[in-house]
Amino acid sequence: MTTHPATRAELQRADGARLALYVDGPDDPDLVIVLSHGWQAAASLWDEHVRQLPRPRTRIVRYDQRGHGNSTSGRALPSIPLLADDLNAVITATAPGRLPVLVVGHSMGGMAALSFAAQFPHLIGDKVTSALLVATTGGDLDLTAAHHPPLTRLVGLSRHAMAAVAIHAPRPAARIRELVRPRPYAQPPIDIAGRWFKALMSHDVAQRLDALSRIPVHILVGDSDQTIPPVHALRLAAQIPTAQLHVIAGGGHRIPTQHPAEFLAALEQACDDALRPASRWPSRRIRLSRKVHTPPGRQHEATVSEPRPGPRPKAVR
């Protein structure tokens, strides 16, 4: 568990955005973990995980995505490539020299991590030595796309309509969100959330992820995720030769908060991989996780992982 109090900092971006950073850990770390949260969340999502992670020599960096938490939006239009640029800036500012970096991204934060790999492939393996992708996708989230069946496209159209209401009628939309989607952390203004929804729908880096084959990649997904269905994780696992797929039985989309034990178990494995020479990387496998009883003080180990031998998963389309 970290014993160093968090340091609050701000990172100025070229378009005027100010990113709020929260840094825990020693001045001479062995590893830097950068935690990238999802849509309508905030860096406080990771607070309990930082307290429970038993790595006193590791620097842990949380930050509020632009337009979320204590970070401002800036002048640039919302896009996932913009978040990838921000992630690169955070890594540059907090992991100087040859310090290795583990990038962890949940949902939209995972999309930022994937876009980072597509935009800065030379940093994968050289700077970023492992990744943990949680409930995320390489693209194809827009249900209005022509290849979807009519009923699915209708659902997609309704989501776009709700985003339009959020952007153009933010007051009633905000009241509705407070009733149906309460969260224990501050959420961004509803009109900003609507604009970021549009950015999520246009995200597509599925054919630009070759650089990730140079590092261990852990993919964590709940088999009951209705926000980003598990098929997206299966596609990523099939595409990335070095991927390990962890499936949480009964897990939904909010894995870090609803399944913290499974998340921390995968995070510890990813930390170990980030510091391990390439010749000692674990073999590709699928892990099925279920909750089990654990003694007090060891909740982060409440995961049983069962290796499944056999060929790599086939992409489901």
Side-chain angles (χ1 to χ4, degrees):
M1 300 182 185
T2 180
T3 58
H4 301 266
T7 299
R8 166 78 185 271
E10 279 194 349
L11 182 60
Q12 185 73 37
R13 304 295 288 126
D15 71 322
R18 295 189 306 277
L19 304 183
L21 277 61
Y22 314 88
V23 183
D24 294 84
D27 294 332
D28 56 343
D30 60 345
L31 174 68
V32 177
I33 303 174
V34 178
L35 299 165
S36 179
H37 69 75
W39 181 55
Q40 298 197 74
S44 58
L45 170 80
W46 310 110
D47 288 355
E48 191 60 30
H49 307 104
V50 171
R51 283 191 285 270
Q52 292 193 29
L53 188 66
R55 299 192 67 89
R57 289 203 58 211
T58 297
R59 177 179 298 163
I60 307 175
V61 180
R62 294 159 287 158
Y63 69 102
D64 292 321
Q65 304 278 16
R66 59 170 61 220
H68 294 66
N70 292 310
S71 294
T72 61
S73 293
R75 296 182 298 274
L77 293 176
S79 71
I80 304 304
L82 183 63
L83 295 186
D85 285 335
D86 289 344
L87 176 56
N88 182 48
V90 170
I91 290 172
T92 300
T94 60
R98 299 195 61 80
L99 270 175
V101 174
L102 162 61
V103 171
V104 180
H106 172 241
S107 193
M108 184 178 76
M111 298 180 211
L114 290 167
S115 188
F116 170 87
Q119 292 172 227
F120 305 97
H122 60 286
L123 296 178
I124 305 300
D126 181 43
K127 187 64 179 176
V128 175
T129 57
S130 183
L132 171 56
L133 307 172
V134 184
T136 194
T137 178
D140 194 27
L141 267 185
D142 192 348
L143 299 183
T144 65
H147 64 271
H148 289 298
L151 287 179
T152 301
R153 294 177 69 186
L154 185 60
V155 172
L157 287 170
S158 69
R159 291 178 177 178
H160 279 277
M162 287 188 286
V165 171
I167 293 169
H168 300 291
R171 286 189 178 180
R175 285 195 289 270
I176 292 171
R177 181 176 67 175
E178 290 169 4
L179 292 173
V180 302
R181 200 178 186 272
R183 291 291 185 268
Y185 40 77
Q187 298 184 77
I190 193 70
D191 55 329
I192 292 176
R195 290 183 172 88
W196 278 108
F197 172 84
K198 299 288 188 181
L200 298 176
M201 294 302 101
S202 62
H203 165 65
D204 184 8
V205 293
Q207 305 305 316
R208 300 169 55 202
L209 300 177
D210 291 348
L212 288 176
S213 64
R214 299 198 289 266
I215 63 172
V217 177
H218 292 262
I219 301 171
L220 184 60
V221 66
D223 66 3
S224 298
D225 190 339
Q226 299 298 310
T227 303
I228 301 179
V231 64
H232 292 269
L234 291 174
R235 290 172 182 165
L236 286 172
Q239 184 177 358
I240 302 169
T242 53
Q244 295 185 62
L245 178 62
H246 309 254
V247 182
I248 300 175
H253 186 66
R254 293 161 59 189
I255 289 174
T257 53
Q258 294 179 336
H259 300 275
E262 289 85 346
F263 171 78
L264 277 168
L267 179 57
E268 288 190 47
Q269 292 177 48
C271 288
D272 291 341
D273 285 348
L275 295 170
R276 182 179 288 133
S279 60
R280 297 178 59 193
W281 287 353
S283 59
R284 180 191 186 98
R285 58 187 179 269
I286 303 174
R287 291 177 176 267
L288 301 180
S289 300
R290 64 176 181 268
K291 288 187 175 179
V292 296
H293 173 74
T294 49
R298 295 177 66 85
Q299 286 82 1
H300 68 277
E301 294 182 1
T303 300
V304 170
S305 297
E306 302 172 347
R308 285 275 183 104
R312 55 189 280 187
K314 189 174 182 180
V316 180
R317 302 189 183 279

